[in-house]
Amino acid sequence: MTTSAVDAEAGCPPLSLLEKAAKVLSAFQNAGPRLTLTEVVQHSGISRSSAHRILDQLVQLRWLEREGRDYRLGMGMLELGAMASHHNRLRRAALPHLHALHESTGHLVHLTVLDGAEVVYLERIGGSDNSGVPSRMGGRQPAYCTASGKAILAFSDAAQVEQVIQHGLRPRTPRTIIRPELFRSELTVARERGVAFDHEEGYRGVFCVAAPLRGAGRAIAAVSVCGHGVHRELERLAPVVRGCARSVWQAMFGPGRQTDKRPRQAGAVSAPGVPQPSMDNMMTWLRFSEWM
C-alpha cells in the first residue's frame, strides 16, 4: 500500500509535492546506487504515477540521472552535497580563529561566502552589544554594499563582478556605492590592500572591514569585523582581520605558498597545483580538496 493510500485511510492530509520528492530522494539512501521506478515506489511508498512524474522532474534538474530503466543520484546532488561539506569544513576550521578575533577586538565577527550577487553568513560571533547589526547565520545581504562581499569580489573573476553589477547597485543608504565605475575602483583598491571596507553602505551607523579567504588565487570566503562606531578603528583592525583570514586558510590547507602580494586583475589564473576553490564551479573544488 502506498503512502497516499495509508494517509487517506488514517485521515491524514495528503503529502505535498516537496514531501513526495524528499521521499523519492530518500529511497536512494537506504538502497543501492541504482533504482528502477518499481524499486523507488517500493522504498518511498509513493504511488507509481507520482513517483514517475517526480523522477522525470528530478532528472531535468540534474538531481538524478537516468540510464535505461535505472535512476541514480546526479551531478546536481553531488554539487549540493559538496557545497554543504565545504561550508561545514570551512566553518569548523574558522571557528577558533573567529572567536579569537572577537575576543581581541570586542566587535562582531562574521564568516561569509558569496552566492550569486549576495553574501551568506556562515557564522556570526558577537555579544548583545552588537544586536543592532542586522545579521544572522544563514542570512543574506547584497554583496555590493558589504565589506565581505567586496573583499570576495575583489578576488573573483570579472564575470562574477559584472553579474553583481548587472543585478543592480541600488542605494541602501546615502553612502551606498551605486555607480559601476566607482564600484570597480573600490574593488581595485581592495585588491591592492587585501581588505575591503563598508562605510555605512548597507545600514546607517554600521561600519565593517573584511579580508578575503584565499591563497594565491580567487577568494572562497571572507572574514569581517563590524559594528557601530567601528569607523574610528577600521585602519587599526584591517591587519588583524587580514591575519585572521590567513590563519583560517592555513588551518584548512596548511602554510603552502605565500599569497602573491602583487595586485592581481579580477579573473587572473594562478599557478597550477595551488588550490583554487570556486563557488560557481564545485567540481574544481572537488579536484583540489578532501571533503571528509
Side-chain angles (χ1 to χ4, degrees):
M1 184 178 294
T2 65
T3 300
S4 300
V6 172
D7 288 343
E9 285 190 2
C12 299
L15 294 176
S16 67
L17 179 59
L18 181 59
E19 289 171 321
K20 290 179 180 179
K23 284 185 173 293
V24 168
L25 290 173
S26 295
F28 291 85
Q29 279 185 314
N30 305 315
R34 296 171 182 268
L35 295 176
T36 64
L37 171 60
T38 300
E39 290 170 332
V40 169
V41 171
Q42 292 172 346
H43 286 287
S44 68
I46 304 298
S47 69
R48 189 178 185 87
S49 59
S50 293
H52 187 268
R53 183 170 62 253
I54 291 170
L55 285 168
D56 283 347
Q57 292 172 343
L58 292 175
V59 168
Q60 293 176 24
L61 292 170
R62 296 173 57 249
W63 287 18
L64 293 179
E65 294 177 354
R66 182 174 181 178
E67 292 185 0
R69 299 175 55 216
D70 295 338
Y71 296 87
R72 66 179 182 182
L73 295 179
M75 190 59 66
M77 288 296 294
L78 175 61
E79 291 171 353
L80 285 175
M83 180 74 78
S85 297
H86 157 61
H87 286 176
N88 289 337
R89 182 184 176 204
L90 172 59
R91 184 173 173 272
R92 286 196 304 270
L95 267 177
H97 303 284
L98 300 178
H99 280 289
L101 181 61
H102 170 61
E103 291 173 4
S104 65
T105 64
H107 296 300
L108 179 64
V109 172
H110 289 129
L111 174 67
T112 56
V113 294
L114 186 67
D115 183 21
E118 298 177 313
V119 290
V120 181
Y121 294 97
L122 297 187
E123 189 57 73
R124 180 188 194 274
I125 298 174
S128 57
D129 290 342
N130 296 304
S131 59
V133 179
S135 62
R136 61 178 177 81
M137 286 180 60
R140 293 171 174 264
Q141 295 287 355
Y144 68 90
C145 60
T146 63
S148 292
K150 289 188 285 185
I152 299 173
L153 288 169
F155 294 95
S156 297
D157 58 38
Q160 182 69 64
V161 174
E162 293 308 310
Q163 177 186 343
V164 171
I165 292 174
Q166 292 301 317
H167 195 266
L169 307 179
R170 301 172 182 84
R172 300 283 295 263
T173 74
R175 304 193 68 174
T176 306
I177 299 174
I178 58 175
R179 294 171 56 187
E181 62 273 21
L182 290 181
F183 182 69
R184 294 188 187 97
S185 297
E186 183 87 352
L187 298 186
T188 298
V189 173
R191 277 196 298 275
E192 293 171 350
R193 299 196 60 181
V195 291
F197 298 96
D198 166 10
H199 298 276
E200 295 185 291
E201 295 161 41
Y203 295 92
R204 289 179 183 269
V206 177
F207 298 80
C208 302
V209 55
L213 209 63
R214 60 183 289 268
R218 283 182 270 181
I220 64 169
V223 172
S224 69
V225 166
C226 68
H228 294 276
V230 177
H231 60 287
R232 302 183 186 91
E233 306 176 69
L234 288 179
E235 292 297 332
R236 179 184 67 83
L237 291 171
V240 180
V241 176
R242 274 198 305 264
C244 178
R246 185 165 53 249
S247 296
V248 174
W249 181 268
Q250 291 176 352
M252 294 184 69
F253 297 108
R257 285 176 40 170
Q258 292 296 316
T259 300
D260 188 352
K261 298 183 181 299
R262 293 173 298 173
R264 301 175 61 86
Q265 295 299 318
V269 179
S270 300
V274 179
Q276 297 300 321
S278 170
M279 306 319 298
D280 60 345
N281 187 351
M282 191 51 60
M283 295 312 296
T284 299
W285 180 272
L286 284 169
R287 286 198 297 273
F288 286 111
S289 301
E290 302 223 359
W291 292 101
M292 301 302 291

